[in-house]
Amino acid sequence: MAFPPTLATKMDFLVALSLFIAAAALLAAAGLRRVPEGSALTVHRFGRYRRTLGSGWRWLCPGLERAGATVELAGHHLHVPADAARGEAELYYQILEPALTGEALDSVDDWVAAQTREAIAQAGASAETFKQEMNRRVGRLGLRVVRCALHPA
């Protein structure tokens, strides 16, 4: 013989249901991130690079994924001193394809500076030759050198 549900069991069910809905809403809100226009965000899972997110509202899995660096896509300016014999370089670059850049986004300025030092050692005195060499080096990661200058020692 089945007993009809009482008011107390209906209330217990409603309380449990509302707690479940509230917990699900909090979990969904905890993973919501806004990536500003003209920026990209790296996502790491268990400390390793997982993916790159473009601008807009994005969701990360709370507890599993964490937001890495937010990187501007345009307006990067580097002043790279080489050694005393070769001088220094100044360059402006932008990130055209952040998904292609991938894990390097977290330290993109350091990576471009290292490529610049190597290119200074190989390039002649021409800034145009240097710019072509830099675009060849950084183009595979979705970057483009917009302007550069070589300053002799």
Side-chain angles (χ1 to χ4, degrees), residues 21-102:
I21 291 172
L26 284 174
L27 185 65
L32 199 59
R33 298 280 187 268
R34 182 180 175 281
V35 181
E37 188 69 34
S39 300
L41 176 76
T42 58
V43 177
H44 299 267
R45 183 177 287 177
F46 303 120
R48 291 188 174 189
Y49 171 79
R50 176 77 172 143
R51 60 193 164 132
T52 301
L53 301 176
S55 60
W57 286 98
R58 305 291 181 216
W59 191 79
L60 305 176
C61 185
L64 291 178
E65 297 177 326
R66 72 168 181 84
T70 301
V71 180
E72 294 291 322
L73 299 180
H76 291 266
H77 172 244
L78 286 179
H79 179 83
V80 181
D83 58 19
R86 292 194 175 96
E88 58 191 22
E90 188 171 0
L91 58 97
Y92 295 84
Y93 71 95
Q94 60 189 9
I95 302 168
L96 300 176
E97 298 179 46
L100 189 60
T101 309

Side-chain angles (χ1 to χ4, degrees), residues 80-141:
V80 181
D83 58 19
R86 292 194 175 96
E88 58 191 22
E90 188 171 0
L91 58 97
Y92 295 84
Y93 71 95
Q94 60 189 9
I95 302 168
L96 300 176
E97 298 179 46
L100 189 60
T101 309
E103 188 174 7
L105 274 177
D106 288 331
S107 58
V108 69
D109 284 343
D110 295 335
W111 185 81
V112 171
Q115 294 297 314
T116 303
R117 283 187 204 91
E118 289 178 17
I120 289 173
Q122 294 178 355
S126 167
E128 189 59 37
T129 306
F130 175 68
K131 182 178 176 183
Q132 289 173 355
E133 174 63 18
M134 282 303 299
N135 277 321
R136 185 189 67 76
R137 289 170 174 263
V138 301
R140 62 189 163 98
L141 285 183

